[in-house]
Amino acid sequence: MAKFITTEELKKKIDGEDDFYLVDVLSAGSYKARHIPVAKNVPNEPGFLEQFEKEIAAPKDAEIIVYCASETCMASQMAADILEKAGYTDVIHYKEGLAGWQNARYKFE
């Protein structure tokens, strides 16, 4: 089961330039409209794992943070499960997603 991260913890990581991968698992259209700074887009759809491995190319022990729209959106939880089953050992779920980022009044890209 993936660990969780709060909005404030994620903001500190981004500001601190920590070494991690932030992955927006929403559609490409949603990503283009707005996304959290430094995030890459790999939609949670058929072929997610293959696309993740091709585009992100993260080592299996890398810190990977996934998010989607909000706490009620299950796309990022499903993506975290897929990554863990594939052998990624440091998967973190930002369950507050875009809604949490917006509620904290942080800027989007």
Side-chain angles (χ1 to χ4, degrees):
M1 184 65 166
K3 296 172 274 188
F4 297 98
I5 188 168
T6 67
T7 301
E8 292 74 28
E9 291 168 334
L10 178 57
K11 179 75 164 108
K12 284 181 189 173
K13 281 189 166 297
I14 292 169
D15 290 348
E17 299 179 13
D18 288 7
D19 190 19
F20 68 99
Y21 297 87
L22 181 61
V23 182
D24 180 319
V25 302
L26 295 167
S27 70
S30 170
Y31 179 81
K32 282 182 181 178
R34 66 179 188 166
H35 59 272
I36 297 172
V38 311
K40 302 292 184 204
N41 183 225
V42 182
N44 185 12
E45 55 191 33
F48 168 77
L49 181 60
E50 293 78 11
Q51 187 179 356
F52 175 87
E53 289 178 338
K54 179 182 171 190
E55 293 184 23
I56 305 300
K60 294 282 185 173
D61 63 347
E63 184 176 46
I64 301 164
I65 302 170
V66 294
Y67 74 89
C68 55
S70 67
E71 289 191 50
T72 58
C73 175
M74 295 305 296
S76 54
Q77 182 60 58
M78 291 186 294
D81 291 344
I82 290 167
L83 292 172
E84 287 185 326
K85 287 178 183 158
Y88 290 90
T89 59
D90 195 7
V91 180
I92 301 170
H93 181 211
Y94 173 47
K95 65 183 180 179
E96 295 168 41
L98 294 177
W101 197 256
Q102 181 174 325
N103 288 343
R105 301 188 196 291
Y106 294 138
K107 295 198 182 306
F108 290 102
E109 286 189 336

